[in-house]
Amino acid sequence: MDALIIVFVTGLISMFIAMAKKPVLVLATAMIGLSSALALMINQWWTGTGFIQLNYEGLLFDKPSILYSSLAISFVLLIIAGGYSYFKQEVEHTGEYISLLIFSLVGAMCMIAFTDLFMFFLGLEILSIPIYVMVGSKKRDILSTEASLKYFFTGSLATGILLFGTAWVYGATGSFKINEISAAILDGSAKGALLNVGILIMMAAFLFKVGAAPFHFWSPDVYGGAPTIVTGFMAAVVKLAGLFAFLKLFTFTFWGAYPLWSGALFGIIILTVIVGNLSALAQTRFKRMLAFSSIANAGYALIAIMNQSNWSTWNLWMYIYGYGFAIIALIIISLLVNDENDSIEGFRGVGRKNPFIGFVLTVSLLSLAGVPPLAGFFGKYMVFAAAFKQYPVLVITAIATSGIGMVYYLRFFMTAMAKEENESTVEKLKPSILQTIVLLICAIALLIGGYIAY
Amino acid sequence: MVLGSIFNAGVSIEYYIVLSTILFVIGAIGVMVRRNAIILLMCIELMLNAVNLLMVAFSTYFGKADGQIFVFFIMVVAAAEATVGLSILVMAYRNIRTTDVGLFNKLKG
């Protein structure tokens, strides 16, 4: 709870300190605040209690919540540090960019730690509304505006659908608390028809938010039009919060109705991994490719939610760990390359211009493709291995499509490592010190992923 | 569940469920088929209000206050969302000079 308060206060302070028109102050505030929140989270992990004990039962930072919140805070730290060179371009807006990202993180943490549907709904909205604004933050850019409008309409449609589902579940069980809902479903006192409709409607809204396949149509447009750093935030933090809330709500709360939603989810996962990977093959723009890759990745992560293992929380965490760090590294490299058309061809020769960036790019792409010593492999392995006994067809489809995924990751890798035709015009890519540190942290996190997994 | 009556007026909960479902579906279809962004915003409000109606009905049916409190949260969030949505719309109008969502098609391909 104390970490949540610290994160919120950090957001407030960095918003107001921006009036001094010194971007570096905002950065320092954000870094210090988020690092101390992370430290508090780690402290709470070891001691079991936070410094502030509030007698409020809507939020509970138990061990899984701490694990996921720490990961979310680390992602936001890396994104703010890596995107600082972009944020400071417009001095008068630096504070807004950074504080909106932090407020969004507050929402993500509420979504991770919720124990009743009040906090879940509020967290979802606190997460989403700042992102609607951030997506449109390039005010004069037509693409950014369009992306923002599309994200707003699909997002609020999903909110409406989610609330409708919540109302039906409330009507069936008479409670918003997830303990009481799950107890009511298990002992059969919930009313069948109302409950089934409610659960299916809520699932549709969730699939909208995480961008799974029949509901994914908005995501390539929005990812493609948003400013690069916001794309990274959506791909890493929003997916993390959405998937964990999905896990908590379905695998734990709606456990009694498992036969109902697992069948629907089964088909959706197969559709998602196929559509995501096949569409990513055809893309020529980097951010659109990333969007389809994140759709496919959401499909793999949903497998962790499907299976009945006690370890699914940990498996999903490991999966998002490998995926998130790789995405953040790629996004920051794309920010450095700064190709106007955002085309994959713009990355030609990046690895040769700067060997360090080439190394980080290699590590993150191989991790996304799922090559053994890296974190992405362990995430995939754990998720697939846990589900294999129960759903062999699902896992085989997922493995086959991740083979397709390897094609476009490696094609991108070949482009980035290719020799430039006219070497004389090549100018060196110069990451700032902060960006170097961030890229280094991402690469290390991906390399040591295997040790964390055991 | 058919047995419950609301406000002692003999209106059973089913009618509320049917009414709010109809309102919700009208709103959802409106979001999908209409092209004017302002009307889209209104349709989303209609959907949220259908949810509010359902929540209040269930809340009275169970004799608990939490559903009504949820409705206050929904109202607040709907207001925040409408604010952000309208400002995004104003920004879009400045750039493209239209509120027709069908004309926002630069991101394809």
Side-chain angles (χ1 to χ4, degrees):
Chain A
M1 187 64 89
D2 33 8
L4 185 69
I5 295 169
I6 295 247
V7 171
F8 172 66
V9 172
T10 307
L12 272 188
I13 296 177
S14 53
M15 188 165 71
F16 284 109
I17 215 165
M19 287 174 183
K21 299 260 191 294
K22 288 206 176 64
V24 72
L25 275 180
V26 184
L27 179 76
T29 318
M31 292 286 110
I32 293 169
L34 292 182
S35 312
S36 48
L38 193 59
L40 282 172
M41 276 293 172
I42 293 168
N43 174 58
Q44 197 172 343
W45 170 266
W46 291 113
T47 61
T49 51
F51 290 107
I52 305 172
Q53 295 297 332
L54 287 183
N55 196 13
Y56 176 59
E57 51 191 23
L59 286 173
L60 177 69
F61 281 93
D62 50 357
K63 290 225 160 174
S65 308
I66 293 174
L67 213 55
Y68 279 82
S69 301
S70 320
L71 195 61
I73 297 174
S74 330
F75 284 168
V76 175
L77 258 174
L78 292 177
I79 286 172
I80 290 176
Y84 176 62
S85 65
Y86 169 74
F87 295 138
K88 75 175 178 191
Q89 281 170 359
E90 289 181 63
V91 177
E92 59 266 38
H93 294 311
T94 314
E96 288 147 32
Y97 288 143
I98 291 181
S99 58
L100 281 176
L101 287 184
I102 295 175
F103 287 142
S104 192
L105 172 66
V106 173
M109 286 169 74
C110 290
M111 252 177 101
I112 288 166
F114 74 98
T115 58
D116 62 18
L117 295 173
F118 279 96
M119 273 332 278
F120 165 66
F121 165 63
L122 283 182
L124 181 71
E125 287 304 300
I126 299 171
L127 174 77
S128 305
I129 292 179
I131 299 176
Y132 301 148
V133 180
M134 286 298 292
V135 170
S137 62
K138 283 183 182 168
K139 277 187 290 190
R140 307 267 168 250
D141 185 34
I142 291 177
L143 297 184
S144 169
T145 314
E146 185 185 329
S148 172
L149 202 66
K150 278 186 176 161
Y151 192 40
F152 172 74
F153 281 123
T154 48
S156 23
L157 183 66
T159 304
I161 294 172
L162 181 85
L163 281 173
F164 197 57
T166 312
W168 284 68
V169 170
Y170 173 61
T173 58
S175 175
F176 287 116
K177 295 195 173 64
I178 58 174
N179 297 336
E180 292 175 13
I181 292 176
S182 90
I185 295 173
L186 284 176
D187 69 19
S189 64
K191 299 171 186 78
L194 278 178
L195 182 75
N196 292 352
V197 174
I199 288 176
L200 288 180
I201 292 176
M202 279 184 91
M203 192 167 90
F206 260 105
L207 295 172
F208 246 116
K209 285 279 175 194
V210 300
F215 312 105
H216 69 290
F217 52 88
W218 56 273
S219 118
D221 286 1
V222 172
Y223 280 41
T228 311
I229 205 79
V230 183
T231 309
F233 186 87
M234 285 194 288
V237 182
V238 177
K239 284 264 155 91
L240 181 152
L243 285 169
F244 183 62
F246 202 136
L247 178 86
K248 203 166 182 174
L249 212 51
F250 282 78
T251 314
F252 298 124
T253 311
F254 297 152
W255 187 239
Y258 183 76
L260 173 78
W261 55 265
S262 65
L265 198 58
F266 183 87
I268 281 166
I269 290 173
I270 288 188
L271 196 64
T272 305
V273 291
I274 291 175
V275 167
N277 280 311
L278 286 183
S279 318
L281 271 182
Q283 300 305 319
T284 55
R285 292 194 208 162
F286 171 69
K287 277 191 276 184
R288 280 184 84 86
M289 187 193 89
L290 205 65
F292 281 111
S293 135
S294 87
I295 291 169
N297 275 297
Y300 300 137
L302 287 176
I303 296 176
I305 293 167
M306 273 287 279
N307 73 57
Q308 284 175 304
S309 148
N310 293 327
W311 287 90
S312 46
T313 312
W314 172 236
N315 291 345
L316 183 69
W317 188 84
M318 197 59 220
Y319 190 84
I320 294 174
Y321 173 93
Y323 163 74
F325 281 111
I327 288 285
I328 290 172
L330 283 181
I331 280 293
I332 287 166
I333 292 169
S334 143
L335 199 65
L336 280 169
V337 172
N338 198 12
D339 183 37
E340 271 169 22
N341 299 324
D342 185 34
S343 66
I344 291 176
E345 278 304 302
F347 284 78
R348 184 167 286 279
V350 166
R352 290 185 180 249
K353 279 184 210 167
N354 186 330
F356 171 65
I357 288 183
F359 166 70
V360 179
L361 192 76
T362 313
V363 171
S364 45
L365 280 174
L366 292 183
S367 171
L368 276 178
V371 173
L374 300 166
F377 167 75
F378 287 99
K380 273 203 178 96
Y381 172 75
M382 285 159 71
V383 169
F384 291 172
F388 187 72
K389 215 172 231 170
Q390 209 177 350
Y391 298 105
V393 180
L394 193 65
V395 173
I396 288 168
T397 317
I399 291 172
T401 49
S402 68
I404 302 174
M406 218 169 253
V407 175
Y408 60 84
Y409 292 128
L410 291 184
R411 201 174 57 193
F412 181 62
F413 171 68
M414 296 299 275
T415 313
M417 287 300 163
K419 216 174 210 172
E420 192 117 22
E421 280 83 24
N422 39 356
E423 296 267 346
S424 57
T425 58
V426 173
E427 46 189 297
K428 278 209 155 172
L429 289 171
K430 284 202 187 102
S432 66
I433 300 171
L434 267 177
Q435 283 168 331
T436 314
I437 295 172
V438 170
L439 288 176
L440 201 61
I441 291 175
C442 288
I444 291 173
L446 292 174
L447 286 170
I448 65 167
Y451 292 99
I452 294 178
Y454 287 103
Chain B
M1 57 156 293
V2 190
L3 303 172
S5 71
I6 291 177
F7 307 136
N8 299 323
V11 182
S12 78
I13 186 87
E14 287 170 326
Y15 293 98
Y16 286 94
I17 295 177
V18 171
L19 174 64
S20 63
T21 308
I22 291 172
L23 282 177
F24 184 85
V25 170
I26 291 173
I29 291 176
V31 173
M32 285 159 197
V33 302
R34 295 306 290 262
R35 290 164 65 92
N36 188 330
I38 308 266
I39 293 181
L40 252 62
L41 271 174
M42 287 158 64
C43 289
I44 286 168
E45 291 296 311
L46 186 62
M47 285 165 67
L48 293 179
N49 282 328
V51 174
N52 287 351
L53 179 65
L54 193 57
M55 287 274 189
V56 173
F58 279 133
S59 171
T60 317
Y61 174 73
F62 289 120
K64 283 179 169 180
D66 49 358
Q68 293 171 30
I69 297 169
F70 206 120
V71 168
F72 281 113
F73 281 98
I74 297 176
M75 284 175 179
V76 171
V77 166
E81 230 176 40
T83 317
V84 170
L86 279 173
S87 26
I88 290 172
L89 196 58
V90 169
M91 179 178 77
Y93 185 75
R94 275 192 194 147
N95 285 335
I96 312 184
R97 292 278 152 202
T98 177
T99 55
D100 185 341
V101 287
L103 297 177
F104 289 88
N105 51 10
K106 306 279 186 303
L107 280 167
K108 283 275 174 279

